Structures are given as C-alpha cells and as structure tokens.
Amino acid sequence: MFSYDAPNFTLNFLTSYFAGEPERAVYAKFRVSVDQMVASGDFIGIMEFNGGRRVWMIAPPGCAGRVAAINGKIDYGLLADPPVQFAVRFAAKKP
Amino acid sequence: MRLSLGLWVGALLALGCGGPGVTLPLTYDLPATEPQSNRLSLEVLLLADNQTQYLYGKPIWLRKGLFDKVAVTGIRSPELDLYGQDLLGWILEREAGVRRGAVTIHLGDALNLSCTWEMDRFTRTMSAAKRPWFMAIGNHDGYFFGSGRTGPGSSQDEWDAGCEKGGGPITKTQVIERYFGLLVAQGRQPTAATVRGGVGADPGLAAFAREADIARETPWSYTGSAPAVLRRVQWHRDCKYWRSYLIQELDITDPVDAPRPVRVILLDTSQFKDEPGLAATVLPGMYDAGASGFMLDNQLEVVRSWLEEDRKDNAVVILMGHHPENVIGGPALAALQGLRQEFGVELYVSAHTHSSAYFVYGLGESKQLELNIGSVLDFPAQYRTLAVLQEERSQRTVMRSVRRELWQFWQDGVAYGVPGFPDCEAKKDAWYPPDTPHNNYADYMKSNSLDSAGTERMIFGALLDSYARLLKVAPTVTAPAWPPGTGTDAAVSARIATLERPEAPLASLQDFLLALDSFEASRTVEDEAARRDYRVCQAMWASTADKHKARIPEVDQWFVVFPTPAAKD
C-alpha cells in the first residue's frame, strides 16, 4: 500500500496498489499521532474501502521515525493516480 | 393538520431565508483537514443537469437567436448539445465503473425539451454506470423545455414540433414510468457489481424488480436481511401529469460497524397542483417549473412518515431534490424546512442552478445548510462526491464532499500522465484547425434573429460540419446503419457537403442528422480512444465557449502560448 521515500522521510500511498483495487478507498483511519515513534512493521491504521473491506496499514520495511505530520486531506478519489499523496511524514533525523 | 407545526416553524425559517447576512454559527466547524472520525456512510457520486437535447425537431419559438439572449441556456453551442452527454459518460466510467465505483445519485434535469428520444439517449448514457444509480426528477424531466406547456411559445404544438421524429413529447408521468423501468432493469442485472463488492444487483433493487408493480401504487419497501441501498419507493401517477411524483429512500450506511444508519430521501420538487408553464410570468398564482419547485401534501406526508421511522432508528437523514430551497414555492418550502427542523435533517442537497454553492437558511440559532451542486454539462462541468462520518471525540456528524471541475481535472490528469484523461489542447490544431471557415461553438451566439428556422439551419450546419470532422478523426470500420444513400465515409462526407448548401431543404438536414445520430451510435471505428477524446474535447471546448461567448482562458489557466506575430489574425 505504501512506498517509503527515505531521503525525504515520507511514507507515500502507492498509486499502483490502489489502481489494482476493485473497490475505491474512502477513508484512512490513522492510529498513530504526531510525536509518536513508529518502526517498520508497526500498525499505522486502517484503510477502508467502499465495499466494506478494511485493510491494515503497516509501516513498510525501512520506514521508521517520529511522526511529524499525518495527511489530513487525502483525496481518496485520486489515490490511484499520480501525483502520489503522502500518508505520514517523519521528523528528519538529526545529523 | 399534521403538517401545521412544521409549516409554522418552516414559515419562521423561511423569513430568514438564505442570502447575505445569514451565516453559520460558530457551532459549525469548517476545518481544513479531516477530523478523526468513524465512517458512517458509503461514498456516493452526485451529479445533475446533463440536459440531454433532442436537436432534430422542427424549429420552435423558444430556440430563436434573440430569445437565447434572454434565457442563455435557450440554445447551447451545437457541439455541446451534440457531444455533451459524453461528459456525463466520462464521469460515470471513471467514478461509477465496476472497478472502484460508487453509488450514483442524479439530481435531475436528465432531459431538456422532454422528448422520448432524450430519455432513450439518457438511458444509453447511464449504461456506463456499472454501480447502482438513482435519480430525483427535475423540471426538465417531463415538462416542455423545463417550464411547462402553458404560456407564450410553449404550447403542446410547440412541444410536438420540438420533438418531431424524436418519439414525441414525454410527460412527467411517462418519465416516472421509464425511470421505474430503469430501476427494475438494474435489479435484474445478474452481473453488475454491487456497491458492497462482488457481483449481482443491489439486493434492494433486485427485490424491487421482483416485487414492485407500477400499476399498484402501494408503497414499496425493502424487507430483506442483506444490506441494500434501495430502501423505499413511493409513487403516484396522475392523469394531470404535473401532480405525479416519485420519491425514494436510499440506505447508504457503511456496511461495517457504523453506529447509526445514514439515509437519503430523494424528493420530487417538480410536483404542482396546477399545470406549470411560462404563463406564470403573467398570471399570478401560477408556477413556472423552471423558476419554481413545489411539492404537494400527498408527497410531503409520505416523507414525514419515512422521517418518523428514520428517527426511531436514530438515522442520519439527508434530503435531496432538484430545486434549491430558495426557489421552492412558499407553502412547500415552509413544509420542507419545518420537516428539517422537526426531524433534525442537517443537510439538503440540490441542483438546478448550474453553478454550485452552499446556502444557509434560518432564523436566530436555527440554521439549515444546503449544498447546491453544479451541472455536468454547462461550464464548469463538474460533479461531487459525498460521504458522512462521525467525529470520534464529539460524536458530531461530519460531511465530506469533494468537488471536481472537469476542465481542471483533465489538465491535471494530462500533466501527470494519467491514462484515460483527454489531452484536448494537444489535438486542437488537428481537431479544430485555425482555418475552420466558421466558429461552430460561437456562431449561433451572434444571432439576434427572430427566425427559428434560420437559427436551426445555422445549428444544423454546425452539426454537419462537426460530423464531417469526426469521420476524419475516427474513420468507420463497420456500420450497421449507414445513412440512406451512403455506404462509405466518403459518401457520407459528400452528402454532408451537399446539405451544407443554403438551398438544401431544412427537412433534409433534419432527416440526415437523425440518420447520422444512429450511424454514429452503432458504427465501430479504427481508433475508439480517438473518437472518445474527440467527442469529449469538442464538448469541453463548446462548453467553455458557451460560457464566455468566446474562447478565453480560465482564471486558473497556468499556461498561455502566444501566436507568432504574423499569425495573430
């Protein structure tokens, strides 16, 4: 469901994943909050689809850090199309 | 009388009807980002006002060049009428397809003159929706040109003339019968996708198809156990067709653990006691269906009974109808606003205006919100989605509604290389060369003529020219319905050239255009994508020109490429 843009510490929704889904995604219920630490494999939330299906959102490999921002204005109708929309941004690592 | 309390409250509310100074109190939040919420409903697609136009009837009074200056949608750009339904088809393919589709709610004005041909064409357009779709009746759906047949230039003879060779007029009662049949047809589809995944018709529609009989005006309601969208339907067919009505209740509750149901009641705001028409402009007490909406007590009493049951279920209810509240006739408006107040209906969704806005009504702290949606035809062609959520912390109802304007949506899609988005500007020189002898989109706007026939000839000429170019863009592979006297694209083009001469009888143009319509609908072409893009691009250019009366960039246009100095004229 995700691609992790490591240089920019950004977890993005993967358009090809949503393009392949038979139902439209209609709501991302995040279960992390700003300043929370997230590691790869952690449960981030639930993606809900119009047919009633729920899919867990899991932090992919390499994705880890302190949550800096969560996308609060996802355009669900465009998740399957570029440009990618971000899901979570993490704080830049200190040098 | 049972409605009296509602009328009284509604009258008070109507005194403070929408307009400058009526504002939402701070108890309403208007956040920039989505509050943490639980979903209550499915996401639905909202669209309206596609105004399918039968173009091939006899000239009528209301389609004179001069009259168009008064009522600017009296005549649209010919290519907008010819190809405009492809805009609705594009939206449905994208948003109501088998994959990633949504339930569609059409808020009326599917037709324009109200001819049987228009209903047939609309039915064909809606076949692009692979998910359940439902419709509220608009003023153009069963009333001549959206107003009615009483008054200057709007007689039964004019209606018959406008619909000549197009199956004749279709009254509101007949529209209700046709739409009833479309609901049944949806219910009988064995392989259409359900809104909840998998195959098979919506259980509500399937039950309706089995159980409902239009001849029996007993209320129909869904009694099955599987989650279903179509929940209730009530109708009345009257020999005085303006008194007929059809209303529906939809259940758009999210099928998984929604704490309370969400229901939509589709009202019929085009129901009148006396026959409406343009006579309302001169006769007091009459209504023009294009200027005003109305609902009679028999409809409102059913709505009240539905709301009473919904209240027992603690349902969130959204009312929807074609006419916005600010044009609904006094007693009907008072009743509507009274019902909203009594049953806590937080949102009314309407169409009809061909623009889009939020309206706020109310007196003191009693505010009522209305969402008005724009047209899928007139610029800027647009649609919306709608979903209902419940804020986690406060348990307040949240509405999420995203609006899309097609022209900007397409530009963004092309910029990002999204498949299926038409790149109109890249094709402009090929599909509308600068040396085109006349500007088909805008020539009719120069007419101040009182001659209906002259205006029709201008329009027919533009349509023929557009077909000639379409044949070059998308040559025919096979055609089960060649126009009479032809059998190749070259022969069709030659016949078009003959008919474009000023001495060609208008009836010949009419007959040939009718034949071209059938030919185009049934032929296969070498490049279907090119044909599709040509048609929607023509519709979009025509829609833009129709708005501005010229080709002018939109304010949000990022790029303008200027001509070389020698080519400016």
Side-chain angles (χ1 to χ4, degrees):
Chain A
M1 187 185 299
F2 296 116
S3 63
Y4 184 59
D5 178 2
N8 293 299
F9 310 103
T10 303
L11 184 66
N12 293 314
F13 290 110
L14 190 60
T15 57
S16 59
Y17 172 87
F18 293 96
E21 280 291 324
E23 296 292 339
R24 63 198 289 131
V26 289
Y27 193 57
K29 189 184 292 187
F30 289 99
R31 284 299 179 232
V32 294
S33 51
V34 172
D35 284 339
Q36 182 175 336
M37 291 298 297
V38 169
S40 63
D42 281 357
F43 172 69
I44 294 177
I46 298 172
M47 178 63 77
E48 301 180 1
F49 291 81
N50 217 25
R53 201 159 60 89
R54 276 31 176 177
V55 175
W56 282 16
M57 297 191 289
I58 305 293
C63 168
R66 186 182 302 277
V67 175
I70 301 167
N71 192 340
K73 198 172 182 180
I74 299 167
D75 193 334
Y76 296 99
L78 297 184
L79 279 174
D81 299 321
V84 297
Q85 299 180 63
F86 88 95
V88 177
R89 285 207 178 95
F90 296 92
K93 289 187 172 62
K94 292 178 183 174
Chain B
M1 188 169 88
R2 294 182 72 196
L3 288 172
S4 61
L5 172 64
L7 277 171
W8 179 239
V9 174
L12 285 176
L13 283 168
L15 285 174
C17 60
V22 183
T23 61
L24 285 180
L26 294 177
T27 46
Y28 287 75
D29 290 346
L30 301 174
T33 57
E34 193 154 29
Q36 189 75 5
S37 304
N38 292 310
R39 225 156 49 87
L40 292 183
S41 83
L42 303 169
E43 186 174 75
V44 298
L45 170 67
L46 296 175
L47 41 81
D49 295 294
N50 57 289
Q51 320 278 160
T52 313
Q53 170 76 46
Y54 176 62
L55 286 160
Y56 315 116
K58 277 185 176 169
I60 59 173
W61 190 91
L62 290 169
R63 282 174 63 86
K64 296 181 197 296
L66 184 61
F67 185 77
D68 183 61
K69 302 298 183 290
V70 176
V72 294
T73 54
I75 306 174
R76 290 185 170 84
S77 175
E79 267 122 329
L80 182 56
D81 279 331
L82 184 61
Y83 300 124
Q85 302 314 305
D86 290 52
L87 299 177
L88 172 58
W90 190 92
I91 295 167
L92 291 172
E93 283 180 19
R94 180 175 164 90
E95 302 287 357
V98 173
R99 292 177 66 81
R100 293 183 281 113
V103 174
T104 299
I105 297 177
H106 188 299
L107 287 181
D109 277 8
L111 317 183
N112 202 34
L113 290 180
S114 199
C115 307
T116 302
W117 184 97
E118 294 171 352
M119 192 71 201
D120 294 341
R121 181 67 173 89
F122 173 65
T123 301
R124 194 169 95 225
T125 303
M126 292 306 293
S127 67
K130 303 307 177 192
R131 300 292 176 125
W133 66 272
F134 306 92
M135 179 178 154
I137 305 237
N139 58 291
H140 280 264
D141 305 319
Y143 296 99
F144 175 49
F145 224 159
S147 289
R149 61 177 181 183
T150 65
S154 51
S155 65
Q156 183 65 44
D157 287 344
E158 285 280 308
W159 199 357
D160 291 339
C163 297
E164 185 189 77
K165 299 184 182 177
I170 183 169
T171 66
K172 184 179 172 189
T173 301
Q174 291 165 326
V175 169
I176 287 172
E177 291 164 356
R178 285 289 300 266
Y179 175 63
F180 191 102
L182 290 172
L183 292 178
V184 168
Q186 288 190 72
R188 288 180 180 159
Q189 282 182 346
T191 57
T194 67
V195 68
R196 303 174 200 278
V199 295
D202 171 64
L205 280 166
F208 183 80
R210 287 192 305 271
E211 299 162 7
D213 179 354
I214 193 166
R216 292 201 327 257
E217 287 188 3
T218 48
W220 177 87
S221 56
Y222 175 66
T223 56
S225 56
V229 175
L230 186 61
R231 179 177 158 80
R232 283 192 270 232
V233 185
Q234 174 89 48
W235 64 94
H236 168 64
R237 293 182 301 162
D238 202 294
C239 52
K240 295 180 178 176
Y241 62 84
W242 50 92
R243 296 182 182 175
S244 300
Y245 76 88
L246 183 142
I247 56 174
Q248 303 140 92
E249 184 172 56
L250 311 179
D251 189 328
I252 59 168
T253 309
D254 180 68
V256 178
D257 69 22
R260 53 192 298 213
V262 181
R263 294 173 187 156
V264 171
I265 296 178
L266 297 181
L267 302 171
D268 182 342
T269 60
S270 297
Q271 187 196 20
F272 303 89
K273 176 171 171 290
D274 299 311
E275 185 168 9
L278 286 177
T281 54
V282 294
L283 293 176
M286 287 194 65
Y287 286 101
D288 168 355
S292 304
F294 207 85
M295 293 170 282
L296 299 179
D297 285 351
N298 57 355
Q299 177 187 166
L300 289 164
E301 284 169 5
V302 174
V303 175
R304 164 176 283 280
S305 71
W306 289 1
L307 288 169
E308 284 171 347
E309 289 195 40
D310 292 334
R311 180 158 61 184
K312 291 177 194 166
D313 296 335
N314 191 29
V316 175
V317 179
I318 301 171
L319 293 177
M320 298 190 184
H322 179 68
H323 292 83
E325 287 191 11
N326 60 14
V327 300
I328 292 178
L333 175 62
L336 173 63
Q337 291 185 332
L339 287 172
R340 288 189 65 183
Q341 181 75 0
E342 184 178 349
F343 293 97
V345 176
E346 301 191 41
L347 185 67
Y348 175 67
V349 184
S350 65
H352 184 70
T353 61
H354 296 221
S355 57
S356 53
Y358 283 98
F359 299 126
V360 179
Y361 303 92
L363 198 66
E365 287 301 306
S366 294
K367 294 296 188 286
Q368 293 183 353
L369 184 64
E370 175 178 342
L371 169 61
N372 179 263
I373 70 171
S375 164
V376 299
L377 182 74
D378 290 323
F379 197 91
Q382 60 189 273
Y383 63 96
R384 295 190 84 114
T385 59
L386 177 72
V388 180
L389 308 98
Q390 187 176 56
E391 196 177 23
E392 275 189 349
R393 186 172 46 85
S394 68
Q395 303 293 296
R396 290 187 300 172
T397 305
V398 178
M399 180 201 80
R400 183 181 74 221
S401 181
V402 178
R403 187 176 76 100
R404 296 207 202 285
E405 290 186 6
L406 277 188
W407 77 275
Q408 199 156 37
F409 193 28
W410 289 358
Q411 284 201 346
D412 291 346
V414 167
Y416 288 107
V418 181
F421 280 68
D423 189 355
C424 297
E425 282 308 306
K427 295 288 198 296
K428 183 77 173 179
D429 283 348
W431 292 350
Y432 204 89
D435 59 354
T436 299
H438 49 275
N439 184 332
N440 290 341
Y441 306 139
D443 274 357
Y444 81 94
M445 300 173 196
K446 299 174 190 165
S447 168
N448 290 311
S449 173
L450 286 170
D451 173 21
S452 304
T455 304
E456 286 297 285
R457 182 176 292 276
M458 186 190 305
I459 291 170
F460 286 171
L463 296 175
L464 287 171
D465 182 61
S466 189
Y467 270 117
R469 281 184 280 118
L470 174 57
L471 286 176
K472 290 178 188 165
V473 169
T476 306
V477 175
T478 61
W482 287 100
T486 69
T488 63
D489 284 354
V492 173
S493 299
R495 181 74 180 131
I496 287 174
T498 305
L499 289 170
E500 282 182 327
R501 295 180 190 148
E503 64 272 17
L506 198 60
S508 299
L509 276 72
Q510 177 192 26
D511 289 341
F512 197 72
L513 281 165
L514 268 170
L516 280 173
D517 185 81
S518 300
F519 163 67
E520 170 63 5
S522 58
R523 72 187 183 115
T524 60
V525 299
E526 289 176 7
D527 188 344
E528 187 55 51
R531 168 162 69 170
R532 184 199 60 231
D533 284 357
Y534 176 87
R535 292 176 62 99
V536 295
C537 289
Q538 293 292 337
M540 183 59 71
W541 290 325
S543 177
T544 312
D546 207 63
K547 176 196 173 190
H548 294 298
K549 310 305 175 192
R551 183 170 178 251
I552 297 176
E554 287 303 307
V555 291
D556 296 316
Q557 179 70 27
W558 279 31
F559 308 106
V560 175
V561 180
F562 293 87
T564 53
K568 270 187 183 167
D569 294 329

